[in-house]
Amino acid sequence: MPNFLPINTILVPQGAEYKAVCRGLSGVTGSIPIVVAIPVGMKPLLKYLHQEQFLAPKSRVLIMGICGSLSDRYKVGDIVLYQDCVYQGKLLECDRTFTAQLHSSISEKVSLVKSLTSDRVIWSATEKRHLGKMGADVVDMEGFTALEFFNAAEVSVAMLRVVSDNCQHDIPDLTSAINSDGSLNPFPLAMAMLRQPLAATRLIRGSLTALKVLEQVTNMLFSDNRLK
C-alpha cells in the first residue's frame, strides 16, 4: 500500500450527500479531513470558492457526492473515480497520482470514468444517452468548476462519486428547485416530484442506495488510516 499524503479537505454538496459523508466519518478514530458542504451547481460553487479561504498550494482535496450515469455500463450504487471533467468541449484532468492511489486503496469495485459537468439538471433518459454517446460516462453539476479553481491554485484534486440514477429512465426535472445560491428550495422540489411520481420514486430509491454506498466507501477509506 503506498504512503498517502494526507487529504486536507473533503468537499461534498450540501444536504443529504454531506450528511452521508459525515456519517461515514463519524465512527472513524484518529485524524480525519475537514468536511465542507458546498453549494449545488457551477455558478454558486465558483462564487463560494472565491469567498472562502481555501487551502495552501500542494494540499489535497477530495470531492465526493453522487452523480448520474450516462452509460449502460454504470448502474445505481456503482462507485466511480473521475479521470477528467468536460464542460462545453474543454477538458481538465484530475490529479493522476492522487486518483491512482485512491483507486488502489478502494477494495470495493470502482470504475475510472470520464465525467461531464452540466450547468443544469440532466433529467431525461434521452438526453443522458445522447450525452453518453459523446464520450462521457457520468454527469454532475460541480466537477469542472472545482477542477478549474483548484488547478489554478496548485491544489491536487480527486473526485469520488456514487451513481444515483441510471440512463434508462427519466428523473424529475429539478432545475427550478435549485436556488441561485446552490441550495434546494423545498416547495418547487416537492412540486417537481409530484408532477412525475414514477420518476420521483425511482430517484428517491436510487438516491438512498447511492447515499448508503457513499457513507460506506467514506468509512472504508478513512477507517484504516489509508488516507490520513
Side-chain angles (χ1 to χ4, degrees):
M1 193 57 62
N3 290 321
F4 277 98
L5 292 170
I7 291 175
N8 308 84
T9 306
I10 297 173
L11 300 185
V12 58
Q14 61 192 9
E17 295 162 83
Y18 173 77
K19 289 174 184 171
V21 169
C22 290
R23 280 196 304 273
L25 291 171
S26 63
V28 175
T29 54
S31 62
I32 56 172
I34 297 163
V35 186
V36 178
I38 58 173
V40 174
M42 298 183 73
K43 285 182 181 174
L45 176 59
L46 186 61
K47 185 178 177 185
Y48 175 83
L49 291 173
H50 279 297
Q51 285 172 345
E52 293 300 309
Q53 283 300 104
F54 266 100
L55 313 142
K58 312 300 182 192
S59 53
R60 284 182 155 198
V61 171
L62 176 60
I63 295 171
M64 302 185 78
I66 59 179
C67 61
S69 174
L70 302 176
S71 164
D72 291 329
R73 292 192 300 277
Y74 305 106
K75 298 177 174 56
V76 171
D78 284 357
I79 303 166
V80 294
L81 255 178
Y82 289 10
Q83 292 175 298
D84 51 49
C85 293
V86 173
Y87 175 68
Q88 292 185 346
K90 292 183 284 186
L91 183 144
L92 293 174
E93 289 191 346
C94 296
D95 186 276
R96 290 186 182 185
T97 304
F98 187 6
T99 301
Q101 289 175 337
L102 275 168
H103 191 241
S104 67
S105 76
I106 299 173
S107 53
E108 313 292 321
K109 181 179 177 292
V110 58
S111 302
L112 289 166
V113 297
K114 295 183 174 298
S115 80
L116 173 76
T117 304
S118 173
D119 52 13
R120 59 188 172 80
V121 176
I122 306 297
W123 59 271
S124 84
T126 305
E127 186 175 13
K128 289 188 218 177
R129 288 195 293 270
H130 171 71
L131 292 169
K133 285 174 186 168
M134 295 165 73
D137 301 307
V138 298
V139 61
D140 71 49
M141 297 176 68
E142 298 84 27
F144 188 90
T145 300
L147 263 185
E148 195 169 45
F149 178 86
F150 286 118
N151 283 359
E154 297 184 346
V155 171
S156 299
V157 177
M159 300 196 193
L160 176 68
R161 294 205 180 223
V162 181
V163 175
S164 62
D165 56 279
N166 63 34
C167 68
Q168 290 92 8
H169 300 99
D170 293 351
I171 61 170
D173 182 0
L174 304 180
T175 305
S176 63
I178 301 172
N179 294 323
S180 60
D181 65 355
S183 62
L184 283 175
N185 192 328
F187 183 70
L189 180 65
M191 293 307 294
M193 294 287 208
L194 288 169
R195 275 195 294 272
Q196 296 167 279
L198 270 178
T201 303
R202 218 178 278 119
L203 175 65
I204 292 165
R205 195 179 294 136
S207 296
L208 290 173
T209 299
L211 291 167
K212 190 68 188 169
V213 174
L214 183 63
E215 179 184 338
Q216 290 165 347
V217 74
T218 304
N219 183 266
M220 183 268 297
L221 276 174
F222 292 95
S223 60
D224 59 2
N225 296 311
R226 276 186 243 201
L227 296 186
K228 295 181 194 170

